[in-house]
């Protein structure tokens, strides 16, 4: 499977997330020791194997969430692309909604475009009605 | 001031942070509406003006922190580069230490290399002796 552009990889990544599809998730990632993933509040995971282990744990015993991604910003070079996205994530019953900011890095290799890095923040919003992002702490 | 490579921009970025140097901070950022910054736990800031306003607030009434950056991973294309870094941040008196994971995106333009995006997570470690990253929440 060779994705023709970063947008195709991104769509497949969020589809795999939505469907708790481990095989689909594996296909979107760069098969590389340089792949990296930072889940919300989590440590740095490096390499495809460690990253896939984390998705295995996340997908286990979970109902498929509602996940919608909104592309906020895209920058692309010939072999590297950066997307800033808002992930709108709801629990299966819709009771809890969260907006998660993520930076997704795509790389072009012999396998076409793949996901090289995913860095997601903790949710800005945890209720279903309010939107009150916290003040920056840096 | 034209930085010759992403590493030079990164060094200048953390020097400006360490020295609470607003003018220095302005010089490292891409002068663009497409620039973006996510401080730990914070919302998405877009455009140089909004980003610089945030640094103004962060630098105000603060003692210079100890900030050391460790490059974990670098990927570069001709006009776009991605660095994953660990920021080791201590308060001025060294009493509180934090390790912050950040993704820094650099872009090459007519001004040389500049910082296009900075995405930092909330600290993994808040004590001075222990290292116990929390479990992933995604």
């Amino acid at each position: 499977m060779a994705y023709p552009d970063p947008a195709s990889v991104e769509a497949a990544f969020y589809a795999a997330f939505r469907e708790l599809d481990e095989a689909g998730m594996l296909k979107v990632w760069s098969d590389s020791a340089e792949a990296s993933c930072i889940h919300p509040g989590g440590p740095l995971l490096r390499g495809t194997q460690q990253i896939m282990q984390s998705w295995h744990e996340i997908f286990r015993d979970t109902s498929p969430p509602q996940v919608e991604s909104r592309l906020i910003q895209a920058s692309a070079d010939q072999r590297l692309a950066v997307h800033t996205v808002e992930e709108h994530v709801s629990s299966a019953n819709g009771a809890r909604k969260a907006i998660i900011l993520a930076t997704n890095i795509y790389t072009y290799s012999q396998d076409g475009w793949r996901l090289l890095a995913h860095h997601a923040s903790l949710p800005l919003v945890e209720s279903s009605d309010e939107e009150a992002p916290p003040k920056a702490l840096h």
Side-chain angles (χ1 to χ4, degrees), chain A:
Chain A
M1 175 75 193
Y3 297 105
D5 50 46
S8 307
V9 191
E10 191 150 276
F13 170 69
Y14 288 108
F17 190 176
R18 208 159 30 228
E19 295 157 17
L20 309 180
D21 174 5
E22 279 189 54
M25 183 57 82
L26 177 61
K27 282 182 199 153
V28 306
W29 280 91
S30 174
D31 182 13
S32 165
E34 299 192 346
S36 69
C37 184
I38 303 170
H39 292 295
L44 177 65
L45 306 177
R46 299 183 73 189
T48 315
Q49 191 174 0
Q50 194 175 26
I51 292 167
M52 286 308 303
Q53 178 61 31
S54 75
W55 288 107
H56 176 75
E57 289 168 15
I58 289 166
F59 288 172
R60 194 175 50 198
D61 304 326
T62 298
S63 303
Q66 297 171 44
V67 180
E68 192 193 322
S69 71
R70 294 189 193 167
L71 180 62
I72 307 292
Q73 181 85 37
S75 301
D77 203 348
Q78 289 192 307
R79 308 176 73 83
L80 209 51
V82 179
H83 286 191
T84 302
V85 305
E86 274 186 4
E87 302 175 357
H88 292 244
V89 183
S90 306
S91 52
N93 62 10
R96 283 165 55 97
K97 276 191 207 171
I99 295 176
I100 291 172
L101 290 167
T103 302
N104 293 329
I105 314 291
Y106 301 95
T107 185
Y108 184 77
S109 69
Q110 58 184 11
D111 300 321
W113 285 92
R114 294 288 185 104
L115 183 60
L116 177 67
H118 172 67
H119 182 172
S121 285
L122 282 166
L124 288 173
V125 178
E126 276 281 2
S127 78
S128 52
D129 296 316
E130 290 171 35
E131 291 207 18
K135 209 164 170 296
L137 300 178
H138 218 176

